[in-house]
Amino acid sequence: MIIAIDGHSACGKSTLAKDLAKELGITHIDSGAMYRAVTLYFRKRNIFPNDLEGIRKNLPGLEISIVPGETCTVMLNGDVVTESIRASDINDWVSDYAKIPEIRKKLVELQRSMAKRGSVVMDGRDIGSVVFPNATIKFFLTADIRTRTNRRLAELRAKGIPAAYEAVKANLIRRDQIDSNREDSPLIQCEDAIVIDNSKLDVADQQDVAL
Ligand code: DC
């Protein structure tokens, strides 16, 4: 069984994915975390998204794995990066790296190979449209920008990361814009996806709706 969850930034995709995976006893894979790990890898090497030569040269040395569990542990070349990929520098850059077809190709292959090991719930932007077009069930999540900004602010502040409302909102809008308009696998709402607008739903309501 493959459950695909796509949608805009900060609309609770990972929360729903985690809850469904726990309820159904299957694996949750946060594909956004993989794009974040790629971003950290290139940022550490000072390779910018417009340096395609540098990206092509360094991609073979990139190793990402997700260790499923209560929360997805993200490994980048042997290091645990679960927390560091949530930093604001990564938020600022991730969509610019996620546009690059070579990067997407590598991650899509990895995502497909992960699902060969058993049933998964995978969340992201192109899971129902590109990675698993034949997924058992597809969800498309959305919420208004105010709700999403407040949720992301609360998440950052809970981690002790200082954040301002307007800056967080601007980052979400910019990422949505890039993610929805890129040439390679843009975020789209699949015709066969179940749409959930969770602006007015709490986590438990959302899980009830999905189940
Ligand atoms: O879900 P997230 O906010 O952690 O994802 C970070 C970025 O990664 C997002 O802005 C776009 C990109 N992404 C993508 O292009 N395709 C995916 N399947 C998942 C994420």
Side-chain angles (χ1 to χ4, degrees):
M1 172 170 57
I2 293 176
I3 302 179
I5 304 180
D6 292 300
H8 296 106
S9 297
C11 63
K13 298 182 298 294
S14 286
T15 304
L16 177 63
K18 205 189 308 173
D19 289 349
L20 288 182
K22 197 171 172 192
E23 189 70 30
L24 301 170
I26 62 178
T27 302
H28 167 215
I29 298 169
D30 173 358
S31 70
M34 298 166 78
Y35 287 92
R36 288 170 177 274
V38 170
T39 303
L40 181 64
Y41 176 81
F42 286 115
R43 292 291 293 143
K44 273 189 173 166
R45 285 160 183 77
N46 261 320
I47 298 169
F48 289 88
N50 59 0
D51 178 7
L52 282 184
E53 189 62 35
I55 287 180
R56 284 189 190 121
K57 227 167 73 192
N58 284 273
L59 257 185
L62 166 81
E63 264 179 47
I64 294 176
S65 57
I66 303 269
V67 187
E70 191 64 19
T71 53
C72 284
T73 301
V74 186
M75 309 284 300
L76 172 62
N77 289 35
D79 294 329
V80 175
V81 296
T82 315
E83 288 299 321
S84 44
I85 57 171
R86 303 288 156 193
S88 52
D89 182 70
I90 305 296
N91 285 333
D92 290 343
W93 285 94
V94 63
S95 288
D96 297 293
Y97 289 99
K99 286 198 288 203
I100 300 170
E102 284 85 347
I103 290 179
R104 301 203 69 82
K105 185 168 181 283
K106 180 159 178 153
L107 293 195
V108 169
E109 276 168 15
L110 194 55
Q111 288 151 9
R112 288 182 179 148
S113 73
M114 286 168 152
K116 286 200 180 118
R117 294 179 217 142
S119 293
V120 297
V121 186
M122 196 177 291
D123 67 292
R125 304 294 186 290
D126 61 341
I127 309 305
S129 57
V130 173
V131 185
F132 300 115
N134 297 319
T136 322
I137 186 157
K138 300 177 188 179
F139 290 104
F140 187 89
L141 260 55
T142 183
D144 61 52
I145 186 68
R146 194 163 150 261
T147 307
R148 294 193 283 129
T149 305
N150 281 326
R151 283 185 191 149
R152 181 50 51 88
L153 259 183
E155 212 176 278
L156 290 169
R157 288 180 181 162
K159 285 183 184 152
I161 302 171
Y165 182 92
E166 285 306 328
V168 170
K169 181 179 166 187
N171 173 262
L172 295 181
I173 291 173
R174 178 175 178 271
R175 281 205 284 139
D176 286 345
Q177 210 270 338
I178 299 174
D179 297 341
S180 305
N181 292 294
R182 66 182 174 222
E183 259 173 49
D184 188 347
S185 0
L187 169 66
I188 53 160
Q189 184 182 313
C190 292
E191 270 181 22
D192 52 350
I194 298 166
V195 181
I196 302 178
D197 181 336
N198 62 27
S199 304
K200 295 193 168 57
L201 300 179
D202 65 18
V203 170
D205 291 339
Q206 170 167 266
Q207 192 183 349
D208 284 348
V209 172
L211 285 170

